[in-house]
Amino acid sequence: MGGRKFYDIDIAPYVLPADIEEDDRLHQQHFALKYICGGNYTAPIHDLIKPGSKILDLGCGPGQWTLEMAQEFPQADIYGIDINANFPTTVKPLNSHFIVGNITEGLPWEDNYFDFIWIRYLFVGIMDADWQNLYREIRRVLKPGGILEHHECDGLTVNPGPKFRKILNHFEEAFISRDLSFRLAGELNERITMAGFEDPQQSYISVAIGRQGGKIGEIWAANLKDGSLAMKPWIAELTGLTEEEYDSIIQYIFDHEIFEHDDYHNHHIVWARKIQ
């Protein structure tokens, strides 16, 4: 659609394209979030990860997090799984392993296999009805004492201007049409606890959008703009806007409106243990 490759809705509800341009955006997003969070994880895993330990990146995308963790923990095995095989297959650390699979259809590992499991920004591709089954599967393949760490962006930008607020309403309606939860980030703690994890630790980081957030704020704004434009082929049709009107609104929001308001996102983090 619109010159971009998307998933068939019957295969995956993922709202963003599945192509090289999207991989570039995800790489940019990774490095921004790594800086914002002070690293690739926040849970206390250094005493947990030992020689022979196994780490899983669910929905690994192009695999940057997986590759970096393989370098940081060379004596552990790091696995990435994604429905799209856009990750490296040849030039990669020997302890990194990539698998093609739909994680909502079950995880292809035995019980008590992983020491640490990681999720980031899958609210754009996992249907609301599938989350509890996925959390239960995660708990199944996680070892007793193992840790799940889940990062999600609050889809509700704080202090948006009038055009941004209107387009966000359109985005939420579009997500709901695919049974995706635009508000998943604020529900992580409750959902993870319901799946049987214990002692969840919850935090969030506010990320300013635009130059008021310094260089990272500018990178974040550019990333949001690219993501918004990438969804145009299917969201514009749902909103009743022409593609030209949609482009014009997104350009105005990220080139002008965000500089007139103190817009920011809340990046939510929850980590929890499987005790037994």
Side-chain angles (χ1 to χ4, degrees):
M1 294 187 291
R4 305 290 299 271
K5 185 174 87 171
F6 287 83
Y7 294 101
D8 188 305
I9 188 65
D10 293 328
I11 296 173
Y14 194 69
V15 299
L16 289 154
D19 55 22
I20 297 300
E21 288 178 78
E22 174 61 9
D23 286 350
D24 290 342
R25 190 193 69 81
L26 289 172
H27 281 301
Q28 182 190 63
Q29 176 180 276
H30 166 78
F31 290 117
L33 287 171
K34 181 180 179 182
Y35 179 86
I36 289 164
C37 296
N40 276 323
Y41 50 87
T42 66
I45 67 170
H46 273 284
D47 293 335
L48 183 69
I49 306 303
K50 301 176 174 62
S53 289
K54 294 177 174 60
I55 296 171
L56 175 60
D57 180 4
L58 283 175
C60 65
Q64 188 63 39
W65 187 90
T66 313
L67 297 173
E68 291 183 13
M69 291 294 283
Q71 292 175 320
E72 183 170 351
F73 296 99
Q75 293 180 301
D77 284 303
I78 321 298
Y79 294 79
I81 182 170
D82 200 277
I83 197 170
N84 188 20
N86 275 6
F87 38 71
T89 57
T90 54
V91 181
K92 60 186 182 66
L94 293 176
N95 63 325
S96 64
H97 316 278
F98 291 102
I99 297 170
V100 178
N102 186 339
I103 62 176
T104 64
E105 296 177 353
L107 301 178
W109 291 281
E110 62 191 43
D111 295 358
N112 307 320
Y113 194 77
F114 291 101
D115 299 271
F116 180 50
I117 297 179
W118 162 269
I119 304 173
R120 183 170 66 194
Y121 282 28
L122 291 189
F123 82 108
V124 295
I126 304 295
M127 288 172 28
D128 193 46
D130 289 333
W131 273 110
Q132 287 313 114
N133 285 337
L134 178 57
Y135 281 137
R136 283 190 284 269
E137 269 290 274
I138 291 168
R139 192 177 185 281
R140 178 185 67 79
V141 301
L142 196 63
K143 293 177 183 178
I147 293 176
L148 162 67
E149 182 167 346
H150 190 164
H151 293 226
E152 288 292 350
C153 178
D154 191 339
L156 303 171
T157 302
V158 182
N159 296 331
K163 288 187 181 294
F164 203 175
R165 184 179 297 107
K166 187 173 182 178
I167 205 71
L168 284 170
N169 289 337
H170 284 313
F171 285 174
E172 184 165 20
E173 291 167 4
F175 274 54
I176 290 171
S177 76
R178 296 193 174 195
D179 191 28
L180 299 171
S181 177
F182 209 55
R183 302 165 186 256
L184 176 68
E187 302 170 357
L188 294 182
N189 192 70
E190 179 182 358
R191 291 181 183 233
I192 287 172
T193 301
M194 285 176 59
F197 290 89
E198 298 185 47
D199 194 26
Q201 305 296 310
Q202 183 174 16
S203 61
Y204 68 88
I205 302 168
S206 294
V207 185
I209 303 170
R211 59 183 172 228
Q212 57 266 39
K215 184 63 178 176
I216 287 296
E218 293 177 4
I219 292 171
W220 197 247
N223 199 266
L224 288 172
K225 180 180 180 181
D226 289 345
S228 299
L229 290 172
M231 292 187 291
K232 174 182 63 175
W234 69 276
I235 287 190
E237 181 178 349
L238 287 177
T239 62
L241 298 168
T242 66
E243 293 197 3
E244 291 75 18
E245 289 170 334
Y246 184 92
D247 277 344
S248 177
I249 290 169
I250 297 300
Q251 295 282 357
Y252 180 82
I253 288 169
F254 289 101
D255 293 348
H256 302 284
E257 193 174 80
I258 62 169
F259 302 117
E260 300 167 5
H261 301 266
D262 294 324
D263 297 2
Y264 65 91
H265 275 152
N266 288 323
H267 174 82
H268 291 252
I269 304 167
V270 174
W271 65 265
R273 293 185 187 273
K274 173 184 173 179
I275 301 301
Q276 58 181 348

